[in-house]
Amino acid sequence: MQSLFRKIALVANRDVPVLITGESGTGKDVVAQAIHSNSKSSTGPFVPICVPALSPTLVESELFGHVKGAFTGADDDRQGLLQLAENGTAFLDELGDISNSVQVKLLRALETKAICPVGAGQWRSTNFRLIAATNRDIDKLVADDEFREDLYYRLNVFRIEVPPLRERAEDIDRKSVGEGKRVNVGGG
C-alpha cells in the first residue's frame, strides 16, 4: 500500500486525468477521494458519478446537462454532473460501461475543456479534473474495439492499480480479525 500512497501523493497536485483500475471492492473510490483531497482543487466539489447507476437513455443528459425542450420531459435547463464538478473533481466510476457515443463527447470535453449540453448549439467552457475508475480490463476493451483508444490514452495519463486485499495480506490487522472485530479495509 505504501507504493499506492506514493502514487496518490505524486499525482494529487498535477492537473492530469487519472485512471484507477482494480477489482470491485478494492477502494478505487477511496483512492479518488484521496487524490482530490490532496489536490489544488480540494476546495472545489468532488462529484462521484457511477455510470451503471445512470439511466442508459439519459446518461448523456446526466453527464453534460440539457437545455429546456431538448427532449420530452426537459422542462428546464439542467446542469450536468460534469458542470457540477466545476473547479473540482469529477469521479467517473465504472468507466468501462460508457457507450461509444458518450465516449466521443467525453473525449471532446477533455480535449477542449468545454461541454455541450443536450439540445444546446454551443459548447461551454468548463474546468474540472477527471478521475476515472473501472473494474473491467480496460486494455482488453480497447483491443476489442469496445472502448475508444483515443479516449483511453487521454484518460490513462497517470494510472493507479489498486491491488485486491488477498495480494496485500500484510494490511490485515490480524489481532482485530482474531478477536472477531470488524476490519475496515477501504471498500469501493
Side-chain angles (χ1 to χ4, degrees):
M1 290 304 291
Q2 292 303 315
S3 171
L4 182 66
F5 296 145
R6 282 190 294 276
K7 288 179 182 178
I8 291 169
L10 181 64
V11 77
N13 278 318
R14 290 177 168 77
D15 189 21
V16 297
V18 178
L19 179 59
I20 304 169
T21 58
E23 296 176 12
S24 292
T26 55
K28 295 180 295 292
D29 59 335
V30 175
V31 171
Q33 289 174 357
I35 293 168
H36 171 75
S37 295
N38 292 288
S39 72
K40 297 173 193 167
S41 59
S42 63
T43 57
F46 178 82
V47 180
I49 304 164
C50 181
V51 174
L54 300 176
S55 166
T57 56
L58 296 176
V59 69
E60 188 174 349
S61 172
E62 291 288 333
L63 289 175
F64 301 101
H66 63 257
V67 296
K68 181 178 179 177
F71 51 85
T72 303
D75 299 327
D76 294 304
D77 288 356
R78 184 175 174 281
Q79 282 191 321
L81 293 168
L82 297 177
Q83 283 180 288
L84 294 175
E86 184 72 20
N87 296 319
T89 303
F91 173 52
L92 200 54
D93 198 12
E94 297 314 333
L95 168 78
D97 294 338
I98 296 177
S99 70
N100 197 294
S101 63
V102 175
Q103 288 178 37
V104 170
K105 203 164 180 180
L106 183 60
L107 175 64
R108 179 160 173 128
L110 289 172
E111 289 175 340
T112 64
K113 295 277 189 182
I115 59 167
C116 186
V118 176
Q122 295 180 2
W123 287 78
R124 301 173 184 173
S125 294
T126 188
N127 181 33
F128 64 88
R129 179 185 198 170
L130 186 66
I131 299 176
T134 186
N135 64 0
R136 297 180 67 192
D137 184 344
I138 193 79
D139 298 304
K140 183 174 180 348
L141 292 175
V142 171
D144 293 345
D145 289 328
E146 294 178 37
F147 195 86
R148 293 183 61 92
E149 187 175 23
D150 47 2
L151 179 57
Y152 168 76
Y153 286 117
R154 179 64 71 172
L155 293 170
N156 196 29
V157 174
F158 194 95
R159 187 167 181 168
I160 297 177
E161 175 74 29
V162 183
L165 188 56
R166 70 178 171 277
E167 292 178 12
R168 47 187 173 96
E170 66 278 3
D171 291 337
I172 299 173
D173 181 350
R174 298 207 187 278
K175 182 178 178 191
S176 294
V177 173
E179 296 172 0
K181 294 180 183 174
R182 186 171 179 198
V183 179
N184 183 0
V185 292

